[in-house]
């Protein structure tokens, strides 16, 4: 790739709709926080950590990802984590973000919900005032845990409901279908929250159907396995329910053997509202720009396709029409 193409992709205004804040914890910050908080890490160096990031599947990754989060203890840690991600967004001209956080990863270690959400929210507020990056936060439930645990988390979250716009569903997909969480998602909708869910990353197309029909999601996270089901593909085209696709994540977790096999542009050309996102950038080798670069290098993505992917993200975002129009103007006047 030429430097000019790389710069064009980096400067293109971008929107991120699928990002786990805990997955943006870079090894350097992990070490800093471990030292500051007197937490022992099972690694000697940043290099050793990076070498451990060779995954064969989602579970391989999740085991290391939950371990990494152990260095996050106090409000300042959650602020620093979120702020580091937002600075990266600023460098890559990411102008609006809708990140996920996993409260149960922290509350199960005895950290209060309030500590987690106040640290994250303070950084998101600072990003808007200092960097001009707008955001909407999404609280995810861990699907390998029970629905009762998710209901308990929703209760803990209620005093802080103004800080987030939607609930989501993440962690180990296979064997944990969306409908396991029908009641808690119904309760979240009654509270006025929107819903999203990871589905069809490693799990079958059937899980995408139940995310849509049982959980009433506004967006499907990943959703790449929709291609196995022609009726579902037609439904996605007809309804324009967006998919938040994460190319580097999919190759690092062996959902696709190689980026040249990735189907995101095929789906785009078929009229599905696909978007490009980084998922867990500290673990998968790149943020938004690197994901766009990978598509340009391995799939010959055109400028028109890149612009359409960002247009899809704007239309899929949870901001009001006024902000959508501002984002569109920033994209088209670029
Ligand atoms: N949590 C963080 N990243 C995830 C992913 N790609 N799939 C499911 N859960 C996750
Ligand atoms: Zn994800």
């Amino acid at each position: 790739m030429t430097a000019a193409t790389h710069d064009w992709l980096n400067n293109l205004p971008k929107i991120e709709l699928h990002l786990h804040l805990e997955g943006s914890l870079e090894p350097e910050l992990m070490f800093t926080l471990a030292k500051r908080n007197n937490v022992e890490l099972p690694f000697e160096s940043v290099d050793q950590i990076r070498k451990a990031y060779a995954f064969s599947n989602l579970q391989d990754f999740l085991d290391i990802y939950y371990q990494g989060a152990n260095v996050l203890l106090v409000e300042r840690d959650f602020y620093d984590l979120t702020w580091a991600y937002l600075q990266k967004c600023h460098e890559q001209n990411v102008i609006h973000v809708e990140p996920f956080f996993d409260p149960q990863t922290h509350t199960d270690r005895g950290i209060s919900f309030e500590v987690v959400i106040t640290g994250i929210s303070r950084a998101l507020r600072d990003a808007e005032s200092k960097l001009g990056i707008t955001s909407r936060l999404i609280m995810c439930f861990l699907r390998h845990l029970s629905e009762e645990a998710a209901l308990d988390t929703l209760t803990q979250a209620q005093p802080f409901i103004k800080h987030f716009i939607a609930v989501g569903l993440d962690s180990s997909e296979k064997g944990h279908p969306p409908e396991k969480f029908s009641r808690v998602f119904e309760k979240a909708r009654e509270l006025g929250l929107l819903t999203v869910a990871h589905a069809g990353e490693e799990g079958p197309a059937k899980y995408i159907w139940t995310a849509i029909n049982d959980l009433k999601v506004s967006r499907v996270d990943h959703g790449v396995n929709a291609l196995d089901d022609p009726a579902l593909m037609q439904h996605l085209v007809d309804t324009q329910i967006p998919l938040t696709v994460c190319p580097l994540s999919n190759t690092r977790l062996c959902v696709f053997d190689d980026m040249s096999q990735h189907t995101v542009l095929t789906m785009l050309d078929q009229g599905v509202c696909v978007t490009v996102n980084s998922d867990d950038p500290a673990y998968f080798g790149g943020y938004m720009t690197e994901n766009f670069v990978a598509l340009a290098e391995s799939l010959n993505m055109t400028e028109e396709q890149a612009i359409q992917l960002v247009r899809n993200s704007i239309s899929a975002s949870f901001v009001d029409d006024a902000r959508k129009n501002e984002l569109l103007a920033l994209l088209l006047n670029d």
Side-chain angles (χ1 to χ4, degrees), residues 126-151:
D126 280 357
E128 180 152 5
S129 62
K130 295 181 182 159
L131 308 174
I133 300 172
T134 50
S135 60
R136 297 288 183 273
L137 185 60
I138 301 171
M139 175 177 82
C140 281
F141 302 117
L142 298 179
R143 70 201 303 159
H144 67 275
L145 301 178
S146 68
E147 187 178 42
E148 282 63 39
L151 282 161

Side-chain angles (χ1 to χ4, degrees), residues 91-307:
E91 286 166 28
Q92 298 196 343
N93 207 18
V94 178
I95 54 179
H96 176 74
V97 297
E98 300 191 357
F100 302 128
F101 74 114
D102 290 336
Q104 289 160 295
T105 301
H106 314 298
T107 52
D108 285 1
R109 298 181 289 120
I111 293 159
S112 77
F113 190 95
E114 181 172 12
V115 158
V116 178
I117 198 145
T118 53
I120 292 171
S121 300
R122 192 160 61 84
L124 294 175
R125 271 199 311 279
D126 280 357
E128 180 152 5
S129 62
K130 295 181 182 159
L131 308 174
I133 300 172
T134 50
S135 60
R136 297 288 183 273
L137 185 60
I138 301 171
M139 175 177 82
C140 281
F141 302 117
L142 298 179
R143 70 201 303 159
H144 67 275
L145 301 178
S146 68
E147 187 178 42
E148 282 63 39
L151 282 161
D152 183 48
T153 299
L154 185 59
T155 303
Q156 289 175 54
Q158 247 166 279
F160 307 98
I161 202 159
K162 70 164 197 273
H163 291 289
F164 54 96
I165 191 149
V167 295
L169 189 64
D170 63 3
S171 190
S172 323
E173 185 182 9
K174 284 184 184 162
H176 302 284
E179 58 271 27
K180 176 179 166 188
F181 295 90
S182 292
R183 284 184 309 152
V184 69
F185 269 62
E186 187 179 354
K187 184 137 192 248
R189 292 195 309 275
E190 283 168 9
L191 292 170
L193 294 164
L194 297 170
T195 64
V196 298
H198 284 52
E201 177 187 18
E202 283 190 343
K206 189 173 70 180
Y207 286 13
I208 301 174
W209 279 118
T210 51
I212 293 169
N213 292 328
D214 292 25
L215 305 187
K216 318 239 179 287
V217 295
S218 301
R219 301 194 292 248
V220 173
D221 296 313
H222 292 295
V224 288
N225 286 341
L227 264 176
D228 297 340
D229 180 340
L232 176 57
M233 284 295 288
Q234 191 59 51
H235 186 69
L236 293 174
V237 173
D238 291 345
T239 58
Q240 289 295 293
I241 294 174
L243 306 184
T244 63
V245 179
C246 306
L248 284 175
S249 164
N250 291 154
T251 50
R252 289 300 182 102
L253 300 185
C254 308
V255 171
F256 294 95
D257 292 338
D258 189 85
M259 196 59 81
S260 61
Q261 315 278 302
H262 205 292
T263 52
V264 64
L265 297 185
T266 308
M267 289 176 131
L268 180 74
D269 292 344
Q270 291 181 11
V272 178
C273 184
V274 286
T275 66
V276 167
N277 308 273
S278 73
D279 205 6
D280 301 285
Y283 292 87
F284 299 149
Y287 290 76
M288 287 292 278
T289 296
E290 288 80 9
N291 273 276
F292 276 86
V293 163
L295 297 182
E297 282 185 328
S298 299
L299 293 170
N300 295 315
M301 176 180 65
T302 63
E303 290 189 358
E304 289 70 28
Q305 286 174 317
I307 290 168

Side-chain angles (χ1 to χ4, degrees), residues 316-332:
S317 76
F318 290 152
V319 289
D320 60 19
D321 284 347
R323 180 61 180 155
K324 282 189 186 181
N325 287 333
E326 279 175 17
L327 294 170
L328 205 54
L330 288 166
L331 173 67
L332 299 179

